[in-house]
Amino acid sequence: MTNMINLLLFPIILPFLFAILLLFFKENIFMQRLLAFIGLTVSLVAALFLVAKVKTDGIQVITLGSWPAPFGISMVSDMLSALLVTTTLLITLLVVVYSFTSIGKERERYFYYPAILFMITGVNGAFTTGDIFNMFVFFEVLLIASYVLIVLGGEKQQLRESIKYILVNVISSALFVITIAYLYSVVGTLNMADISVKIAQVGQPGIITVIAVLMLIVFGIKGSMFPLYFWLPGSYAAPPVPVLALFGALLTKVGVYAIMRTYTLFFINDIGFTHEILLVLSILTVIGGCIGALAYFDVKQIIIYNIVIAIGVILFGVAQMNEAGISGGIFYLIHDMLIKGALFLLIGIIIYVTGTSNLRKMGGLMKTHAPLGWMYLIAAFGLAGVPPLSGFIGKLLIVKGAFEAGTILGSIIILASSLVVLLSVIRIFIYAFWGAPTAELPVTNHRSYRKMMIPAVLLVILSVLYGVGTEWLIPYMADATDVLLQPSIYIDAVLKE
């Protein structure tokens, strides 16, 4: 039992403890970097052990306090949450290494690393909790830390965009609490497994369907789903690239995870209505993201709109509620975390080398920075889902699920979106790397450039391995899919604990 407790809570407690420790070394940049690196490495090792433990022994559950579930607060690690926690820590570790050279000492002195670790505490907590109110609490932890990261540096654009970001999140958090209160008044419990049991007992009366739609609005704002992603492009483009990489790879995915969890665990008795809404909104999200990705000539904005497209694709898979669709959604979710992390780090290097994020002012980088060009091209193909790279298998499964469910038009739109994604990212390649150099490049430090390349290249390699090694990953993905498709596995694990 103790061994299990440690493993389950390590990826949440360790970043939290190291974040507190870092607060004592505000001015000492060396200690800030060292402790952040050690904290994330140890957490990642714990998360890998946790994945192995869940694979061999099934879902791990711990109910805090000496109350049994559903009265105590349950923390639950099934394969889906264990994989997401591991991916989160992996990406954060590489982004932190990238930050050593790119974020600047001024920010490093102002609680940059503690804010990242507090944010990861919230992200991993939200992935692991088995209690819906606790999920709200972890959302708040990660949001408060993200408020620090978005304003850090205090540039005019950052401050302007952060006000919008904070307002949107405050409103969605208020709505989240109200929705939880409604849910509690109907079912009388906050334990997620117990909520599922209680909803199944009462069928799904109208009030539960209303709550399902409210939940979709709350998580749709956090996960930036159509038409609620209006705040995302501006807010994400404001902070420096390492922060943007963390936000783009991780924060929206917490909202997506919450939709996946609630829409496969709670609201499964009136699929005709709730999942139809999810289906329509996911297709509109893809279309909206495609329009944005083609409309801009700013490298940050193009990749940010690609986040929106990916969220639409993942939710489209989940809305099918069949094995192929959901396992494709899980595959694509983890692929997108890896590839967005890689792409943001790479465009950060492009911006560092050229001194601008405007495509029209770039050109000819292939002559001076060929490895950067090839890495970007591999990542771009991976994002678009060119086989055998990581985006391909997820999208293939999602489309298969859509055909099985009879959503033919939707699957055609998903396939067409791949071409738009490819077009939008290849446009960056053509403008930045081909042609004649447009202007004198700013003087860049080659040592810094090489140091920034290391984590970016590692992430690209990981995303390629994720695609090529699909066969080895299938048993893990199958476990994650089973839990979502058969809520009884999750319920039994939690309530029999």
Side-chain angles (χ1 to χ4, degrees), residues 372-408:
L372 177 62
W374 293 118
M375 279 299 141
Y376 176 79
L377 197 61
I378 293 168
F381 283 154
L383 180 72
V386 174
L389 298 170
S390 59
F392 171 70
I393 189 76
K395 210 165 258 187
L396 186 71
L397 283 167
I398 289 171
V399 170
K400 178 173 178 251
F403 273 107
E404 283 172 14
T407 327
I408 310 298

Side-chain angles (χ1 to χ4, degrees), residues 40 89-99 338 345 454-456 458-460 462:
L40 286 165
L89 287 163
L90 187 65
I91 291 166
T92 310
L93 179 61
L94 290 169
V95 170
V96 162
V97 172
Y98 182 88
S99 302
L338 291 169
L345 296 190
I454 292 166
L458 280 173
L459 260 179
V460 174
L462 274 170

Side-chain angles (χ1 to χ4, degrees), residues 268-325:
I268 47 177
N269 303 306
D270 185 14
I271 287 182
F273 182 72
T274 49
H275 290 58
E276 200 62 38
I277 293 178
L278 183 61
L279 187 72
V280 171
L281 288 179
S282 65
I283 292 171
L284 290 173
T285 307
V286 170
I287 295 169
C290 286
I291 293 167
L294 293 179
Y296 280 92
F297 271 88
D298 181 288
V299 281
K300 283 187 181 179
Q301 295 288 8
I302 292 170
I303 309 291
I304 287 169
Y305 272 103
N306 271 298
I307 298 175
V308 177
I309 298 173
I311 283 158
V313 172
I314 296 162
L315 293 177
F316 178 77
V318 175
Q320 308 308 325
M321 283 304 276
N322 56 20
E323 192 174 343

Side-chain angles (χ1 to χ4, degrees), residues 157-175:
Q157 185 200 3
Q158 276 181 282
L159 295 174
R160 188 180 65 239
E161 290 298 342
S162 65
I163 293 167
K164 181 168 73 178
Y165 176 75
I166 291 170
L167 274 175
V168 164
N169 278 302
V170 166
I171 291 165
S172 77
S173 294
L175 192 58

Side-chain angles (χ1 to χ4, degrees), residues 180-241:
I180 292 172
Y182 277 147
L183 187 59
Y184 185 72
S185 68
V186 176
V187 295
T189 180
L190 292 170
N191 181 295
M192 281 152 72
D194 204 32
I195 291 172
S196 182
V197 173
K198 297 281 197 300
I199 290 178
Q201 284 168 0
V202 293
Q204 191 158 338
I207 180 71
I208 298 280
T209 306
V210 170
I211 292 167
V213 174
L214 280 174
M215 284 263 183
L216 194 59
I217 293 169
V218 169
F219 298 138
I221 295 173
K222 304 220 185 271
S224 68
M225 188 173 70
F226 181 89
L228 306 165
Y229 63 72
F230 59 89
W231 58 274
L232 179 93
S235 298
Y236 276 23
V241 168

